[in-house]
Amino acid sequence: LFVFSSLANAVDHYRSMNHIVCDPSGTEPSLIHDECCIWVGPEGGFSDNELTLLTGLPHVYRWFLGSARLRAETAAIAALAHCASRTV
C-alpha cells in the first residue's frame, strides 16, 4: 500500500502504466492489455487541474461509467468490473 501526499506524487509514481480515468466526458470502456491504474475522483468529480494532470499522462483511457452519478466507492467497483470484463 502506498500513501501519497498529493495526486501529482501518485501520478509520478505510476507514470509508466496504463491509466483509466473515470470521467463523465469519457467514452465507453475499451480493452485493456496490461496492468493499469484506475483513477476515481472524489464525489463531485475531478477538478480541472486534476483532469489536466491525469490526461497529460501517456496511455490514458477516459472511461464513462454511465449516466448515474456514482459515489467514489461505487465508481471504483464499477471501473474494476469493466476492467475484468475487458482484459485481454
Side-chain angles (χ1 to χ4, degrees):
L1 174 67
F2 293 101
V3 177
F4 299 97
S5 60
S6 69
L7 178 61
N9 288 344
V11 165
D12 284 341
H13 182 80
Y14 294 109
R15 182 166 295 282
S16 64
M17 296 180 77
N18 289 316
H19 299 272
I20 296 168
V21 177
C22 299
D23 181 9
S25 64
T27 60
E28 184 68 24
S30 55
L31 290 176
I32 298 297
H33 301 282
D34 294 310
E35 289 183 324
C36 62
C37 284
I38 300 173
W39 301 95
V40 176
E43 293 179 33
F46 289 109
S47 70
D48 290 340
N49 289 342
E50 290 169 335
L51 274 176
T52 298
L53 178 65
L54 291 168
T55 57
L57 289 165
H59 315 294
V60 174
Y61 305 88
R62 291 173 76 167
W63 280 7
F64 173 70
L65 298 179
S67 58
R69 171 80 63 179
L70 301 175
R71 293 179 58 104
E73 302 88 353
T74 308
I77 294 167
L80 286 171
H82 281 298
C83 280
S85 68
R86 287 166 172 77
T87 301
V88 176

